[in-house]
Amino acid sequence: MEFQPSKEIISAGIVFAFVSLLVQPAIAETQSHHFTSTAKLLLAQQSDVSSVKVTGVKVNTRDKGIEIILESANPEALRPVAKSEKNNYIADIPNALLALPDGKDFSIANPVSGIVSVSVTQADANTVRVTVTGEAGLPTADLFDSEEGLILEFAPVASTPQPPQQPEQPTSETPPEPPTTQSDEPIELVVTGEQNSYRIPTASTATKTDTPLRDVPQAIQVIPQQVLQDQQVRRLNEALRNAPGVIADNSERSAFEGFTIRGFSNRNIIRNGLRDDTNITTNVNTENIEQIEVLRGPASVLFGQGGGGGTINIVTKKPQSTPSYSIEGTIGSFDTFGGSIDFTGPLNDDKTFLYRLNASASTTDTFVDFFEKERYLIAPSFTWLMGDNTQLTLEAEYSDQKQPNDRGLPAVGTVLPNPNGKIPISRFIGEPFSEIDKNNRQSLRIGYNFEHRFDENWQFRNNFNFSYLSVAQNSLFPSELLEDNRTLERGLVVSKFAQQAYNLDTNVVGNFKTGSIDHKLLFGIDISRNVEYNEGRVFFRELGAIDIFNPIYRRDSAGTDLEEIPNEPTISDGLGIYLQDQIAFSENFKLVLGGRFDIVTQKLENAQGETTSFQQDEAFSPRIGLVYQPSQAVSLYTNYSRSFQQVTGTNLDRRLFEPERGTQYEVGIKVDWTNNLSSTLALYQITRSNVLTTDLRDPSGNSSIQTGEQRSQGIELDITGEIAPGWKIIGGYAYTDAEVTESENPNIPEGNRINNVPEHAFSLWSTYELQKGNLQGLGFGLGLFYVGEREGDLDNSFSVPSYLRTDAALFYRRNNFRAALNMQNLFDNEYFETSESSLRVFPGAPRTVKFTLGWQF
């Protein structure tokens, strides 16, 4: 199938590329490179210096400005090369590795008057970048080294921008400071590297290594904790509205997580790089999330089984070396009440034992009658810094959620006309009695992350996670809407079941050279097991019909027990071996090669523990990607990758099904417009093959055949970062053309659109915070979320209309205090989020208001 881009794809691609070509010369002109002879000498020597770790960052105030200390065991090997970009003083330190305790970059805003921001980031695999932004002009700089580390002193200026002063040659000792009084003692501001920015320059999902996004030959977007806080989102699907092309395929009241990426329904939610299928069978709370990484396209080369659309990686919060205590409370519409705490810090004076405790509780009604939710979360974690090169982190998370089942409303009466009128969106089609309709889920996750660095080039990592999910679910569901268009037949399944997931990943990362070519090699093995079984009886029960226009709820709607479903535990095992090489032929030309071999099995057992069914599949998943960087701010890339998903069962001829495969071709461009603002434009085509369709040879319609194929092609544009000091933005646009390309099912002919996939989707969230004056810390936020018209089912029997939702925020942050007023669906528009079938269409919430108070000390 040839890739035939639409007019929208071609137009957007031309515009984006043209703008990039116009902007880049202007950016290049602003980068003045005034190297002294000393700097040139340092640059010439850098190839002989091995990578040096920067293990800590401190910012202290001084009489004339600030002092930045880059802590290192070998500070004399840190040799910066300076340049400027407008008011930004940039010091690049080659052959250096940023290795802060929490593994993140460092940033701080407004450390002193005249300095807007300070950031320390991993600019590329071998370069640490220090960026200091002046308010009125380019800061002046001096450089020293001491036993503690490399010291850079900066003083703000009140004049127009000027070329940076080159730091003096490092001396063997720090020059004496002028005498100060008690009140003039240096104030240590930050040592943690906590993020308050929208732009995160690195992520591990695409390569399982800390790689700058500009070096990744695949579209990836990071949604940081700051966005979650500014929007006051409380579940994963809400947060994913910020990623263009990621569309929820269940409602915000669902007990599950589900979404489509690049046109395909996707359940690939991993946690800290490890597979965990319980992430999709219960809500993912955001209180313990540091950031969300959205990798678009197949990722089987690193994570094994999964759909072709993409992967969501949840990065949880980790212990910090600086004490911090945060308390937050929320009240809102529909009797919403919630609170959370986030405590972290060291447990001993040497800061080798660190802890973190996150906990939250919330209760809320909803706009749906009789629909109440309760959620409780506690997540402790502990880090032991065993030495300079070894650390162990232990994590646990317990979640408890209680609610009814959300089954939506029939399409007739919501998105389609009904002769009886319009069904109120508040209508509840279940029964408001917990013994009839409930969905209670308790999950426990326990895991560890062990890392040991043999030297500056080789690292060993071992990660493990165990998850246990227990569910007591009386699942009430609609089965048929009768001819009167008001009587809804219903069914009921009473069940108590559990799920256990075990995941172990061991890998080695090494940096080495072959001649002048740099390599970052990743070799790993992972094993997994997923067990699903009944913890009690599972059976169907009679349930009376309901009049959806005049419902009468009663306990005797539930009748006698019907067919019992036997307990047949399902055990799925996986073994994967993967190899990846990130090759840098030069500073601007890079290649990523990877491959993975998987063996996956699934078996069913009867009550006696005997195997009643067994299936084994093998698959090889390759990936190849190229990155060309014509300038420091632009990356052009292309990739080819594949995914696989085991399909269990047999066809009418008793032959086992082949694994479902996804094949992607992608090209794109990534642009760093400034140090704080980046965007990505991607064009792609994904073909999903070996899709099950109905076998017409079987009169009963219960057999399937693997002749189906679906194709998705489109364009995605995202932008993330800070336009100006205090003005942040995240959002983008997605055009998706997803359709059935092969099918033997007459009800789903070739050319049918894939359901819940809008052709056009757009999201934009932006905040502005006053940076000075009496109202410093006051901020405003505005969000626009557009989802176009899409098909309500794969039969294309009805459509769900488009909608535009407007959100807004007003917040105030000062010192340790913060307050926020968030409004979702500001204009109280009626809209429908998604659809599962003609009997399950899910309305969105009307205007919702939340007020949050928080303290951090």
Side-chain angles (χ1 to χ4, degrees), residues 462-480:
N462 179 249
N463 304 325
F464 172 77
N465 183 67
F466 164 75
S467 299
Y468 168 72
L469 174 65
S470 179
V471 180
Q473 179 179 357
N474 294 350
S475 182
L476 186 151
F477 58 90
S479 57
E480 182 181 3

Side-chain angles (χ1 to χ4, degrees), residues 334-612:
F334 310 113
D335 292 327
T336 296
F337 301 94
S340 64
I341 62 170
D342 183 356
F343 296 166
T344 187
L347 292 173
N348 63 340
D349 293 337
D350 294 335
K351 298 184 179 181
T352 56
F353 294 95
L354 313 176
Y355 82 97
R356 192 157 194 168
L357 176 64
N358 282 272
S360 66
S362 66
T363 63
T364 182
D365 292 340
T366 66
F367 70 92
V368 178
D369 297 336
F370 311 111
F371 202 104
E372 301 177 0
K373 299 178 65 175
E374 297 180 23
R375 296 191 313 161
Y376 305 93
L377 171 76
I378 183 168
S381 57
F382 171 81
T383 294
W384 178 19
L385 302 176
M386 300 178 180
D388 293 338
N389 299 312
T390 308
Q391 71 175 40
L392 173 68
T393 297
L394 307 176
E395 295 184 79
E397 180 179 293
Y398 174 77
S399 174
D400 187 351
Q401 65 182 66
K402 298 180 175 66
Q403 65 173 79
N405 293 283
D406 184 22
R407 300 307 186 190
L409 298 170
V412 176
T414 54
V415 298
L416 296 176
N418 188 315
N420 299 289
K422 192 172 185 178
I423 305 172
I425 63 171
S426 61
R427 181 70 72 234
F428 181 54
I429 67 167
E431 293 288 343
F433 312 106
S434 61
E435 66 270 23
I436 297 179
D437 189 353
K438 65 180 179 181
N439 197 327
N440 301 338
R441 294 172 180 262
Q442 294 82 40
S443 63
L444 173 66
R445 299 183 177 95
I446 301 173
Y448 70 80
N449 171 269
F450 175 80
E451 296 183 6
H452 175 73
R453 187 174 291 275
F454 298 104
D455 53 35
E456 299 296 337
N457 294 316
W458 290 91
Q459 182 182 16
F460 171 83
R461 301 180 299 188
N462 179 249
N463 304 325
F464 172 77
N465 183 67
F466 164 75
S467 299
Y468 168 72
L469 174 65
S470 179
V471 180
Q473 179 179 357
N474 294 350
S475 182
L476 186 151
F477 58 90
S479 57
E480 182 181 3
L481 183 64
L482 301 186
E483 292 183 0
D484 62 1
N485 287 315
R486 63 184 304 142
T487 302
L488 184 67
E489 298 282 356
R490 303 176 299 176
L492 178 65
V493 178
V494 178
S495 63
K496 185 172 177 58
F497 60 91
Q499 181 179 3
Q500 295 180 11
Y502 306 81
N503 294 277
L504 177 67
D505 180 32
T506 303
N507 60 59
V508 175
V509 181
N511 297 289
F512 62 93
K513 284 179 174 288
T514 55
S516 61
I517 300 175
D518 292 324
H519 297 262
K520 182 185 286 288
L521 188 69
L522 169 72
F523 173 74
I525 300 174
D526 62 40
I527 57 176
S528 64
R529 165 166 285 199
N530 189 79
V531 183
E532 300 176 12
Y533 57 95
N534 296 340
E535 290 189 318
R537 289 182 63 211
V538 178
F539 57 93
F540 288 93
R541 175 174 285 177
E542 286 184 346
L543 187 66
I546 191 172
D547 185 341
I548 56 177
F549 287 95
N550 185 27
I552 299 175
Y553 304 104
R554 58 188 192 275
R555 280 187 165 84
D556 60 2
S557 291
T560 59
D561 295 352
L562 300 174
E563 175 187 2
E564 183 163 347
I565 301 173
N567 182 17
E568 292 185 337
T570 302
I571 304 172
S572 301
D573 292 319
L575 168 65
I577 303 173
Y578 55 92
L579 180 66
Q580 174 185 270
D581 193 5
Q582 296 171 249
I583 306 169
F585 295 102
S586 64
E587 286 295 325
N588 61 350
F589 185 58
K590 294 156 189 176
L591 171 68
V592 176
L593 291 173
R596 176 186 175 105
F597 180 72
D598 278 282
I599 302 175
V600 294
T601 65
Q602 184 182 95
K603 68 177 180 179
L604 275 65
E605 296 181 346
N606 59 20
Q608 290 73 41
E610 300 170 337
T611 299
T612 59

Side-chain angles (χ1 to χ4, degrees), residues 191-445:
V191 289
T192 63
E194 287 279 2
Q195 288 288 347
N196 62 0
S197 172
Y198 277 16
R199 179 180 180 268
I200 308 298
T202 62
S204 60
T205 306
T207 60
K208 276 195 177 180
T209 62
D210 287 329
T211 301
L213 297 183
R214 66 189 302 268
D215 293 342
V216 176
Q218 200 163 348
I220 182 170
Q221 184 178 11
V222 180
I223 304 172
Q225 182 188 6
Q226 189 64 49
V227 172
L228 308 183
Q229 184 183 85
D230 289 349
Q231 296 180 351
Q232 286 295 304
V233 299
R234 287 294 177 262
R235 56 170 297 182
L236 181 64
N237 270 7
E238 287 184 78
L240 291 175
R241 293 180 186 272
N242 297 285
V246 181
I247 307 296
D249 61 11
N250 55 30
S251 85
E252 63 182 18
R253 298 168 302 284
S254 175
F256 312 98
E257 301 286 358
F259 45 87
T260 64
I261 304 181
R262 289 190 168 178
F264 295 128
S265 182
N266 211 301
R267 304 285 178 173
N268 299 353
I269 305 177
I270 62 178
R271 184 177 293 255
N272 297 321
L274 287 176
R275 291 179 57 87
D276 183 356
D277 291 339
T278 64
N279 286 317
I280 64 176
T281 50
T282 188
N283 282 169
V284 175
N285 301 315
T286 60
E287 289 86 353
N288 190 36
I289 293 180
E290 180 67 30
Q291 65 189 41
I292 301 167
E293 300 174 353
V294 182
L295 175 64
R296 296 181 174 89
S300 288
V301 67
L302 294 178
F303 305 113
Q305 290 194 72
T311 298
I312 307 297
N313 183 32
I314 300 166
V315 181
T316 57
K317 295 179 179 178
K318 301 297 189 293
Q320 305 292 309
S321 60
T322 296
S324 176
Y325 311 95
S326 176
I327 301 175
E328 187 174 272
T330 299
I331 61 173
S333 303
F334 310 113
D335 292 327
T336 296
F337 301 94
S340 64
I341 62 170
D342 183 356
F343 296 166
T344 187
L347 292 173
N348 63 340
D349 293 337
D350 294 335
K351 298 184 179 181
T352 56
F353 294 95
L354 313 176
Y355 82 97
R356 192 157 194 168
L357 176 64
N358 282 272
S360 66
S362 66
T363 63
T364 182
D365 292 340
T366 66
F367 70 92
V368 178
D369 297 336
F370 311 111
F371 202 104
E372 301 177 0
K373 299 178 65 175
E374 297 180 23
R375 296 191 313 161
Y376 305 93
L377 171 76
I378 183 168
S381 57
F382 171 81
T383 294
W384 178 19
L385 302 176
M386 300 178 180
D388 293 338
N389 299 312
T390 308
Q391 71 175 40
L392 173 68
T393 297
L394 307 176
E395 295 184 79
E397 180 179 293
Y398 174 77
S399 174
D400 187 351
Q401 65 182 66
K402 298 180 175 66
Q403 65 173 79
N405 293 283
D406 184 22
R407 300 307 186 190
L409 298 170
V412 176
T414 54
V415 298
L416 296 176
N418 188 315
N420 299 289
K422 192 172 185 178
I423 305 172
I425 63 171
S426 61
R427 181 70 72 234
F428 181 54
I429 67 167
E431 293 288 343
F433 312 106
S434 61
E435 66 270 23
I436 297 179
D437 189 353
K438 65 180 179 181
N439 197 327
N440 301 338
R441 294 172 180 262
Q442 294 82 40
S443 63
L444 173 66
R445 299 183 177 95

Side-chain angles (χ1 to χ4, degrees), residues 608-751:
Q608 290 73 41
E610 300 170 337
T611 299
T612 59
S613 176
F614 179 83
Q615 180 171 333
Q616 177 173 309
D617 291 292
E618 296 87 25
F620 176 73
S621 303
R623 177 175 67 173
I624 180 171
L626 287 169
V627 178
Y628 173 66
Q629 296 161 333
S631 71
Q632 190 172 7
V634 175
S635 295
L636 306 173
Y637 73 89
T638 182
N639 77 62
Y640 162 82
S641 57
R642 300 197 73 190
S643 67
F644 88 98
Q645 181 75 51
Q646 185 181 39
V647 181
T648 57
T650 61
N651 61 17
L652 196 62
D653 300 323
R654 306 305 297 170
R655 293 182 180 178
L656 295 174
F657 291 127
E658 297 291 326
E660 180 183 295
R661 300 304 304 243
T663 303
Q664 174 180 269
Y665 300 90
E666 178 181 356
V667 296
I669 177 173
K670 301 181 182 184
V671 177
D672 294 334
W673 303 104
T674 68
N675 288 334
N676 299 314
L677 184 66
S678 300
S679 57
T680 300
L681 175 72
L683 291 85
Y684 66 88
Q685 176 176 288
I686 305 175
T687 303
R688 182 182 174 204
S689 56
N690 291 337
V691 180
L692 293 182
T693 61
T694 302
D695 191 341
L696 300 181
R697 297 176 301 169
D698 184 1
S700 69
N702 295 324
S703 298
S704 297
I705 187 172
Q706 280 189 307
T707 60
E709 182 183 272
Q710 298 173 358
R711 185 220 62 211
S712 176
Q713 59 184 11
I715 180 172
E716 293 166 340
L717 172 66
D718 66 62
I719 184 168
T720 305
E722 193 168 10
I723 299 175
W727 185 8
K728 300 173 183 175
I729 187 174
I730 184 172
Y733 164 78
Y735 168 79
T736 310
D737 176 19
E739 64 178 13
V740 176
T741 50
E742 292 182 11
S743 175
E744 291 196 3
N745 186 342
N747 295 323
I748 309 175
E750 295 178 10

